[in-house]
Amino acid sequence: MAKTLSFGAMHVGIAFGLGYAFTGSVATAGVLTVVEPLCNMVAHHFFEGWWERREHARAQPVGEEGEVGAGLVAASSPPSQIMAC
């Protein structure tokens, strides 16, 4: 737990320092220090859901409904011919 708290304190310090260095404003740096972790928490929530669905899809045996890549059609032409303009 001490390592986690130390890392959190370091993260806050870096966020504040960079915010102040880029803007020269203590108020703006303070807002960035609070807003950035909140945005990361929301993004992490959605990322975890996506990651879990991805792992579940990979765990399905080949040939079952919902197979990863199901419904995709392989191209019959080499990629060089498909991408040529």
Side-chain angles (χ1 to χ4, degrees):
M1 183 60 130
K3 183 178 180 181
T4 301
L5 292 174
S6 298
F7 182 79
M10 181 183 70
H11 179 87
V12 167
I14 290 170
F16 184 83
L18 285 174
Y20 183 74
F22 281 115
T23 66
S25 168
V26 172
T28 302
V31 169
L32 288 172
T33 300
V34 173
V35 171
E36 187 267 339
L38 293 175
C39 292
N40 274 336
M41 285 191 300
V42 172
H44 185 265
H45 169 77
F46 290 109
F47 178 79
E48 282 294 320
W50 171 79
W51 190 267
E52 193 171 311
R53 287 189 305 277
R54 178 181 166 270
E55 290 297 312
H56 179 71
R58 284 181 161 204
Q60 292 181 358
V62 175
E64 285 190 8
E65 287 288 328
E67 177 182 354
V68 175
L72 298 178
V73 178
S76 58
S77 301
S80 61
Q81 292 178 354
I82 293 171
M83 299 178 79
C85 294

